[in-house]
């Protein structure tokens, strides 16, 4: 199961530098707008100490973490929805990702020009969100136009659909992001096939100078792309020492990866043994058979039951035998909803 986060922002806000640090994959990050045209894609492991502890318990030969995909998307400028800059490319690429990570600039660098000539994070965010709203308005208006004749003919389902499209139009016209206005499940289902940009989960990353790293900015993950690019070039001991000198416990990249994972409402379950300890990703609320399908479709189709133990209980008990003796392992059927941190043995 693969999930992708699109990294977006105005030109020269540091998103490609951040992407390079994230994936340790060199991309062109020169100082001019639209340097990134085709999206660069990188897959990174999700930091999780639990998998290491399970692997140590079983002395596993292989350790396979869960991963998340980041996509570095071309810089956007005002008027993108009308094709300004590389607007059409931007909008087509962003429709393909599962969630959006907006990078806004709050760092100073005379050698890196801001496309608007002014450093203003809120203005950056407003520009991008406005373009997403305009793009969605065009999509919704087209669907309204297609639906109206059928609704006028008296088709009840079409009338209900039209009412939802018109509600979405009103919300967008008032500057709302549809993912943040609490649409009902039925409304979300009706709008699903439109692939609206403002319905995608959204997070904001503020790229700052080193002296602003410890500041708390509500609604934003604060990082320094410059420092992150320096950290990934160091060995582990030097990086840890540098982090400590900055007053940080975790790298900004680790915090970003974890935040992106949580943004998508994902959880992790584990399979573990001498051959392999592996982390698997499912959407929160997945049942045991649905989780099994992530491993192999046979696990869902031929599911009998699951032997489930919380990872911490398993480690504390010293393995399966100890977990069973202490009553920490439980048998679950098809209705069981998988919990984050479960270790599961599937019986099929």
């Amino acid at each position: 199961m693969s999930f992708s986060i699109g990294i977006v922002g105005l030109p020269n806000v540091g998103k490609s530098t951040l992407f390079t640090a994230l994936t340790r994959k060199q991309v062109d990050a020169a100082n001019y707008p639209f340097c990134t045209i085709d999206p660069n894609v990188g897959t990174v492991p999700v930091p999780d100490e639990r998998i290491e502890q399970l692997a140590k318990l079983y002395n596993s030969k292989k350790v396979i973490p869960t991963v998340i995909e980041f996509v570095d998307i071309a810089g956007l400028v005002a008027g993108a929805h009308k094709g300004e800059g590389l607007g059409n490319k931007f909008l087509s690429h962003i429709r393909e990702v599962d969630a959006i990570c907006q990078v806004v600039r709050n760092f100073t660098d005379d050698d890196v020009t801001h496309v608007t000539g002014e450093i203003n994070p809120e203005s950056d965010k407003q520009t991008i969100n406005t373009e997403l709203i305009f793009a969605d308005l065009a999509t919704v208006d087209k669907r309204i136009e297609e639906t109206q004749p059928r609704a006028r003919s008296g088709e009840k389902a079409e009338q209900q659909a039209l009412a939802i499209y018109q509600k979405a139009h009103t919300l967008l016209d008032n500057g709302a992001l549809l993912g943040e206005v609490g649409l009902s499940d039925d409304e979300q289902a009706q709008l699903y096939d439109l692939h609206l940009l403002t319905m995608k989960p959204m997070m904001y990353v503020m790229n700052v100078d080193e002296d602003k790293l410890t500041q708390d900015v509500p609604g934003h993950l604060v990082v320094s792309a410059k420092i992150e690019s320096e950290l990934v070039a160091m060995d582990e001991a030097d990086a840890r020492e540098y982090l400590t000198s900055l007053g940080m416990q975790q790298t900004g990249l680790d915090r970003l990866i974890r935040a992106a994972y949580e943004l998508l409402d994902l959880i992790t379950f584990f399979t573990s043994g001498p051959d392999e300890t592996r982390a698997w990703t499912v959407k929160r609320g997945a049942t045991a058979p649905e989780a099994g399908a992530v491993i192999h479709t046979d696990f869902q189709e031929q599911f009998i039951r699951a032997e489930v133990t919380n990872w911490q209980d398993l480690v504390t008990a010293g393995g399966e035998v100890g977990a069973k003796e202490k009553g920490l392992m439980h048998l679950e059927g098809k209705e069981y909803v998988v919990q984050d941190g479960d270790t599961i043995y599937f019986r099929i």
Side-chain angles (χ1 to χ4, degrees):
M1 187 176 292
S2 177
F3 297 92
S4 60
I5 303 280
I7 302 179
V8 305
L10 300 182
N12 298 343
V13 298
K15 62 182 184 59
S16 292
T17 302
L18 189 64
F19 174 84
T20 303
L22 264 173
T23 62
R24 302 192 186 200
K25 174 182 176 181
Q26 186 59 48
V27 296
D28 199 349
N31 176 30
Y32 58 90
F34 315 125
C35 180
T36 308
I37 298 176
D38 294 323
N40 295 283
V41 180
T43 302
V44 299
V46 177
D48 195 332
E49 65 174 13
R50 300 174 296 182
I51 193 173
E52 301 298 335
Q53 293 191 45
L54 285 168
K56 184 177 179 181
L57 173 67
Y58 285 96
N59 194 25
S60 303
K61 296 174 185 175
K62 290 169 60 179
V63 180
I64 305 175
T66 192
V67 297
I68 195 164
E69 185 178 272
F70 284 90
V71 183
D72 182 27
I73 297 176
L76 172 147
V77 294
H81 69 285
K82 296 184 291 187
E84 296 291 336
L86 294 168
N88 292 332
K89 281 181 175 291
F90 173 92
L91 295 172
S92 66
H93 291 149
I94 202 171
R95 288 188 197 283
E96 298 171 5
V97 300
D98 298 300
I100 300 170
C101 169
Q102 281 196 38
V103 179
V104 297
R105 176 175 173 174
N106 199 19
F107 69 89
T108 54
D109 189 332
D110 293 338
D111 295 327
V112 181
T113 59
H114 192 288
V115 70
T116 67
E118 177 189 15
I119 296 174
N120 186 329
E122 282 304 309
S123 177
D124 288 2
K125 187 165 68 172
Q126 185 176 355
T127 297
I128 293 173
N129 286 341
T130 297
E131 293 306 316
L132 300 181
I133 287 169
F134 276 132
D136 280 357
L137 271 171
T139 302
V140 170
D141 285 348
K142 182 178 179 182
R143 180 58 63 90
I144 288 174
E145 185 179 342
E146 294 170 349
T147 308
Q148 279 177 331
R150 296 191 294 270
R152 289 194 196 103
S153 70
E155 295 182 35
K156 187 173 181 180
E158 296 296 334
Q159 291 172 346
Q160 293 172 338
L162 180 61
I164 293 173
Y165 298 142
Q166 289 172 333
K167 177 179 178 178
H169 172 94
T170 300
L171 290 166
L172 290 165
D173 203 37
N174 289 330
L177 301 177
L178 295 180
E180 299 178 359
V181 293
L183 294 172
S184 70
D185 290 344
D186 287 344
E187 289 169 338
Q188 291 183 48
Q190 187 65 54
L191 296 170
Y192 178 79
D193 71 327
L194 296 183
H195 305 292
L196 298 174
L197 305 179
T198 63
M199 284 187 68
K200 293 180 183 292
M202 190 101 63
M203 64 183 291
Y204 299 94
V205 172
M206 184 174 288
N207 187 11
V208 302
D209 294 311
E210 178 181 329
D211 60 357
K212 298 175 183 173
L213 262 177
T214 56
Q215 69 180 355
D216 182 25
V217 182
H220 294 73
L221 180 70
V222 176
V223 303
S224 167
K226 180 176 181 291
I227 287 176
E228 296 302 323
S229 63
E230 294 171 357
L231 283 167
V232 296
M234 299 178 181
D235 62 38
E236 188 173 345
D238 289 343
R240 180 56 53 191
E241 184 178 344
Y242 188 25
L243 270 178
T244 301
S245 73
L246 296 170
M248 297 168 59
Q249 299 298 315
Q250 268 187 313
T251 67
L253 297 185
D254 282 353
R255 289 186 291 115
L256 171 57
I257 296 166
R258 172 52 59 181
Y261 194 73
E262 292 171 356
L263 177 70
L264 289 167
D265 204 23
L266 305 175
I267 63 169
T268 302
F269 74 92
F270 304 95
T271 54
S272 192
D275 290 333
E276 175 185 288
T277 291
R278 183 162 182 164
W280 303 88
T281 299
V282 291
K283 278 282 191 181
R284 189 178 305 278
T287 62
E290 289 168 341
V294 175
I295 301 173
H296 195 284
T297 53
D298 285 353
F299 280 42
Q300 181 170 15
E301 294 166 359
Q302 301 177 30
F303 179 90
I304 298 174
R305 64 180 182 270
E307 296 177 3
V308 182
T309 314
N310 173 268
W311 77 275
Q312 183 72 70
D313 289 342
L314 193 60
V315 170
T316 302
E320 294 149 0
V321 174
K324 286 180 180 178
E325 290 175 348
K326 295 180 179 181
L328 299 173
M329 179 181 289
H330 45 104
L331 294 177
E332 299 291 351
K334 293 182 178 180
E335 303 304 316
Y336 177 70
V337 176
V338 174
Q339 303 299 303
D340 187 52
D342 280 348
T343 56
I344 305 178
Y345 182 81
F346 292 92
R347 293 200 176 275
I348 63 171

